[in-house]
Amino acid sequence: MDNSIETRTKVPRDFESLRSIIIERKDSMPKRLAQVAAFALGNPDEIAFGTTASIAAAADVQPSTLVRLAHHLGYEGFSDLQSIFRERLRDRTLSYEERLITLEQSGIKDEEAGILSGFLSAASQSVNKLAATIETDTFAKAVDVLAAAETIYLIAKRRSYPLTAHLTYAFSKLNIRHQIVASPNGIDGELARFATEKDAAIAASFSPYAAESLLQAQDLAARSVPVIAITDSAFSPLTACATHWFEVAEADFAGFRSLSASMALIMAFPVAIAERRRKETVGKPRKTKME
């Protein structure tokens, strides 16, 4: 009995902790459990809202597999695990006004200074975590792909959109041909369909993932267009269609999530691509006219 109580106290009681545990254990999980875990992190709203039967059908497993996953992670049952997803949904759906009220009730002294300090701390945590976890070899391989592309397509919606907005500016200044897939007249899908296997794409999406971004990235990958993905989980739907992908877990302050680490990564791409192309141009022998 004591062991049971001890085990339960170690079970993650918030979504971010649960996500970290799943990612840490994913390689050692049995195949079916890993399949359900990937579905859960990729479709957290469906886990929160669904029934055992509907979730099992969507994940293409037996309902008993959901219970097995819950027990594997240390929960009493699937409803106990599901409560973490429901709590995440409650936190995520707080309006901005509700977040401000929560912040006001937190009792921060010198409110303006506290808010500034909170956001700076979140930004610092995000960048430090990315610096400690990013694989520079993967970054170099992604630059190889992007530097070789004729046109780089940029895909991001909602909170991720500022990343492609900056890329558009930087690519323009560095004479890197690109196309942002964000049209005021609703022809994003048509724009993306101009891409060929000679091009490449950068797609960014964080939970809750933008359905349109996922569909566009999946369509590009299906047509042999290399996709470089920036997302927040190894189980993100973007990773399945990406040539190379980067996990960026941003910290938040009072429910407002930072983009600092993602922006730092994004800012590195245009410079690295331009430098790679410059070196390749310098290294090419000059053509001489036939006499």
Side-chain angles (χ1 to χ4, degrees):
M1 182 68 177
D2 291 339
N3 290 338
S4 172
I5 295 173
E6 182 181 356
T7 299
R8 179 162 174 76
T9 60
K10 295 179 181 178
V11 171
R13 303 313 306 179
D14 64 87
F15 182 76
E16 288 304 316
S17 297
L18 172 61
R19 186 177 71 88
S20 297
I21 289 293
I22 290 176
I23 292 171
E24 181 182 326
R25 299 182 185 177
K26 67 182 178 70
D27 292 334
S28 61
M29 282 185 183
K31 182 179 178 181
R32 286 297 185 187
L33 297 192
Q35 178 181 333
V36 177
F39 178 84
L41 293 190
N43 304 271
D45 290 358
E46 186 156 349
I47 300 297
F49 285 122
T51 64
T52 303
S54 68
I55 295 167
D60 193 26
V61 296
Q62 295 296 319
S64 60
T65 309
L66 302 180
V67 179
R68 286 172 52 215
L69 175 64
H71 289 162
H72 181 81
L73 295 171
Y75 294 92
E76 292 183 345
F78 180 67
S79 60
D80 188 20
L81 173 61
Q82 189 177 41
S83 68
I84 306 302
F85 290 84
R86 289 176 174 171
E87 185 67 18
R88 165 199 168 273
L89 188 63
R90 186 195 69 78
D91 292 340
R92 181 171 63 81
T93 54
L94 284 176
S95 69
Y96 275 71
E97 182 64 27
E98 289 171 321
R99 294 180 195 183
L100 291 174
I101 292 172
T102 301
L103 182 60
E104 182 180 341
Q105 293 173 344
S106 65
I108 297 176
K109 295 180 180 180
D110 195 355
E111 186 173 350
E112 288 75 18
I115 291 172
L116 176 59
S117 176
F119 278 106
L120 291 175
S121 176
S124 177
Q125 290 175 40
S126 299
V127 172
N128 287 339
K129 184 172 183 179
L130 179 62
T133 58
I134 194 168
E135 296 179 358
T136 54
D137 183 55
T138 302
F139 179 76
K141 290 177 180 177
V143 171
D144 286 342
V145 171
L146 295 169
E150 290 184 357
T151 301
I152 300 174
Y153 286 77
L154 309 176
I155 299 171
K157 302 289 185 290
R158 300 202 301 258
R159 188 172 71 89
S160 308
Y161 179 78
L163 303 178
T164 49
H166 175 78
L167 282 174
T168 299
Y169 173 81
F171 282 162
S172 297
K173 289 291 187 181
L174 292 167
N175 297 316
I176 297 172
R177 185 183 298 172
H178 63 283
Q179 173 65 61
I180 186 168
V181 183
S183 59
N185 53 356
I187 59 168
D188 290 12
E190 288 80 356
L191 287 173
R193 280 197 286 273
F194 281 109
T196 72
E197 59 187 20
K198 294 181 180 180
D199 302 317
I202 296 176
S205 189
F206 306 104
S207 180
Y209 308 103
E212 191 175 1
S213 294
L214 296 178
L215 288 173
Q216 289 163 2
Q218 289 163 356
D219 177 65
L220 289 171
R223 292 189 288 110
S224 300
V225 179
V227 175
I228 306 303
I230 298 170
T231 189
D232 57 359
S233 168
F235 287 124
S236 163
L238 268 184
T239 64
C241 62
T243 307
H244 301 292
W245 60 273
F246 299 87
E247 180 180 356
V248 185
E250 300 277 7
D252 73 90
F253 174 66
F256 297 93
R257 198 165 292 278
S258 168
L259 266 180
S260 304
S262 303
M263 188 62 76
L265 175 59
I266 280 294
M267 292 174 71
F269 274 120
V271 177
I273 293 166
E275 181 64 7
R276 176 70 58 81
R277 289 182 175 181
R278 185 189 67 81
K279 287 182 177 179
E280 289 176 353
T281 301
V282 170
K284 287 182 180 179
R286 293 184 179 179
K287 292 183 180 180
T288 57
K289 292 182 179 181
M290 295 290 292
E291 296 185 2

